Amino acid sequence: MKLGFCGGIEQASLIKSWGFDYLEPALAPIAGLSEPDFAVVLNEYEKCGIPCLVCNGFLPRSVQIVGLNVDNAANERYVRGALARASRLGAATVVFGSSGSRSIPAGFPAGLAWTQLTAFAAMAAPIAAAYGITLAFEPLNAIECNFINRAGEAWLLVQAVQQDHFKVLADYYHMMVEREDLAVLGFIGQDLCHVHTATLQGRKIPGFRDRLNQENLIGALQNAGYTGNLSIEAGSWLDLNAEACESLAMFRQLIAKAASAGC
């Protein structure tokens, strides 16, 4: 299992210095750059020597995929341009959370929102496939988004879309906020293609104080037969360098322990 850290392209050298296997930046800001500006960013990034295996933040709020203001042609243009950029960065997975794009407007029919979302995913997944990219749909807790909040619901969406390059992301933080049992990961099985984690309290970088909770996550992933990537996605810290290094050391230990127990 490779371990990554969610951060901006400008943090690539720092994340490499901590020892992580890859960087996971947000795609929407990168997709919004002019071609000359992106060329500069790409050139500087390539000097850092750390892979960008995953991008998150697929859609900006301006790309509306649910509701009355959906522009299918414009949305497809955005998807093509954004995924082309992700491919040039080397990403094989793009995380599709994007609460601002997919939340259901007040009074809008949930059934129609489901139809719009499945149609968007059915359009975007083949474009991703052409670049060798898989879209990982991220369920977000109900405080942040009012549509598809649990990993089990995301799996139902994947079944409805029926595209090989459209799968599920599991986020430990969101699952715990929603009180979703980690055992569901075994049910999702091969449709699970990426994982995020952070502490439940404060959404911080997990360290040894959170070891038991993260060990439960690693155990659930092992039971599910998961061999993909795991990214730290945290929004709060006191000492970024120290906490990131501690987190990496802890996860290396937990993964080695789980592998040993599975032998």
Side-chain angles (χ1 to χ4, degrees):
M1 184 183 297
K2 292 184 177 180
L3 296 168
F5 197 91
C6 296
I9 287 286
E10 71 280 0
Q11 294 179 295
S13 294
L14 183 61
I15 293 169
K16 181 184 178 183
S17 74
W18 296 333
F20 282 91
D21 298 313
Y22 65 92
L23 162 75
E24 182 178 327
L27 180 57
I30 295 168
L33 295 174
S34 68
E35 181 55 34
D37 286 345
F38 175 67
V40 172
V41 169
L42 182 61
N43 181 60
E44 290 301 310
Y45 161 68
E46 288 175 340
K47 296 176 183 177
C48 298
I50 184 171
C52 172
L53 302 182
V54 185
C55 291
N56 57 48
F58 181 29
L59 306 177
R61 187 177 293 271
S62 59
V63 175
Q64 291 293 306
I65 61 174
V66 165
L68 295 174
N69 300 314
V70 175
D71 185 333
N72 292 324
N75 289 352
E76 182 172 345
R77 286 194 298 273
Y78 173 83
V79 168
R80 290 186 181 279
L83 292 177
R85 292 271 172 94
S87 177
R88 290 168 68 184
L89 288 169
T93 303
V94 169
V95 177
F96 180 1
S98 308
S99 64
S101 297
R102 81 173 203 240
S103 290
I104 304 175
F108 193 78
L112 181 53
W114 177 271
T115 299
Q116 289 177 319
L117 179 57
T118 55
F120 176 85
M123 173 274 292
I127 298 171
Y131 289 108
I133 292 172
T134 297
L135 297 178
F137 189 84
E138 180 178 21
L140 304 169
N141 73 75
I143 298 170
E144 298 183 21
C145 184
N146 64 2
F147 192 23
I148 307 186
N149 308 118
R150 298 165 70 86
E153 295 170 351
W155 182 81
L156 292 176
L157 177 67
V158 166
Q159 302 314 300
V161 173
Q162 284 293 299
Q163 295 279 346
D164 289 342
H165 286 255
F166 186 70
K167 295 188 181 296
V168 177
L169 176 145
D171 185 303
Y172 176 82
Y173 171 79
H174 291 299
M175 291 183 74
M176 294 303 98
V177 171
E178 289 293 312
R179 300 183 179 181
E180 189 171 17
D181 194 324
L182 291 171
V184 74
L185 302 180
F187 180 76
I188 294 169
Q190 294 184 348
D191 286 320
L192 179 65
C193 78
H194 191 46
V195 178
H196 282 166
T197 193
T199 66
L200 173 59
Q201 298 300 320
R203 204 171 189 178
K204 299 176 181 179
I205 298 171
F208 285 103
R209 289 185 177 181
D210 200 50
R211 181 186 182 102
L212 180 59
N213 291 328
Q214 301 303 321
E215 188 168 16
N216 290 337
L217 171 62
I218 296 299
L221 293 173
Q222 184 187 43
N223 291 338
Y226 180 74
T227 58
N229 300 320
L230 170 66
S231 296
I232 311 301
E233 186 189 37
S236 179
W237 53 77
L238 295 175
D239 185 335
L240 179 58
N241 286 280
E243 291 172 33
C245 291
E246 177 184 329
S247 188
L248 180 62
M250 179 191 69
F251 278 108
R252 295 269 189 238
Q253 290 181 17
L254 293 179
I255 291 168
K257 179 180 176 181
S260 176
C263 291

